[in-house]
Amino acid sequence: MRILGIETSCDETSAAVVEETGDSAAPWQVRSNVIASQAPIHREWGGVVPELASRQHVRDICGVVDLALQQGRTLWRDLGAVAVTQGPGLVGSLLVGVSFAKAAAAAAGLPLVAVHHLAGHIESLVLQNGELPLPAVVLVVSGGHTSLYLLERPGDYRLLSRTRDDAAGEAYDKVAKLLGLGYPGGPIVDRLAAAGNDRALRLPATRLTHRDRNAPDLKGDLDFSFSGLKTAILRHVRAREAALSEREIVDICATFQRVVVEALINRLFDAARRFGAKSVGVAGGVSANSRLRADLQDHGRRREIPTFLPSLTLSTDNAAMIAAAGLRKLRAGLTAGADLNADPALTL
Ligand code: KG4
Ligand code: ZN
């Protein structure tokens, strides 16, 4: 069976056709995954402008879906369902995908599946690597989220911890902005960091020990915090009278990246040990980071625990991961009605 996936939660309009393989160890295969990025539009403003994003989704959605069907050599009648990101994300952007998916499912007489964006990121790991050895601990790290999930059964995601303030990707983007490096900042900082000294300055590494009053169900000691780090860099830059030299910029990038990646890796493997995980994974836009990828594999080898990553295309926002998570939900009998609405604060 083939499913059409649609993703419009932020600034990428994406549609994909994903097919079931019949192999329970590697259940899905990507037939097409079309991504229209709006980055050039938002770059001018230094970040995503929600109203511009939703308008561009409206312009792009029909063409992107047509292309995904064409590249996947799939006709509407070959499809078994339509899956769409319901949330979280920008409400105007989400509404474009949800409205399109509802109309398409109704017109083609197909079941509709509502997908949580982070379930999509988690299932990108299975789409890439096949089913993970369970229990697994997965870090979802993107521009909007930094959260650890425990997977005990396929399709069952238990939140273990999250960031108390900025997401890691957001911290990358903000640090890049204050260094005048452009948008989106993550890939630029990643590239510059490779040439820098990662111990050039002293930066704070936050370790939380207390429960978050806003999330009393979580223990809190696996939570993340990146806003102090960003402020420390802001202070460092402001304290300088002259403009930063190229050498100083690459050193700041390298040191910032080391502190962020160490925090992510340490919490991930702490959680894996605490919950007896048989595997660990990292998904979401920041999983494209070269140091995070290398350090993950290195730690996994040393601790003798298998590690999983999506390909670079499946790391950042894309509809193939939404299609995969949609197939998982469809097989569990979870479909949505015609009253489905976008939910910008949807929880998993
Ligand atoms: O998952 P994603 O495409 O969108 C959200 O759901 O947020 O993630 C985008 C985020 C941005 O903050 C971007 O700067 C970051 O992922 N990112 C990176 C890298 N590539 C993308 N951060 C660090 N290193 C990278 N190579
Ligand atoms: Zn995302």
Side-chain angles (χ1 to χ4, degrees), residues 12 117 121 142-144 169-170 172-173 184-187 190 284-286 288-290 315-317:
E12 257 103 31
H117 182 77
H121 276 302
S142 70
E170 186 182 358
Y172 265 96
D173 294 340
D190 187 5
V286 180
N289 184 266
S290 59
S315 291
T316 43
D317 288 350

Side-chain angles (χ1 to χ4, degrees), residues 227-242:
S227 72
L229 178 59
K230 173 197 68 192
T231 308
I233 294 178
L234 180 66
R235 288 226 180 88
H236 178 82
V237 172
R238 287 218 177 122
R240 292 272 325 206
E241 305 272 302

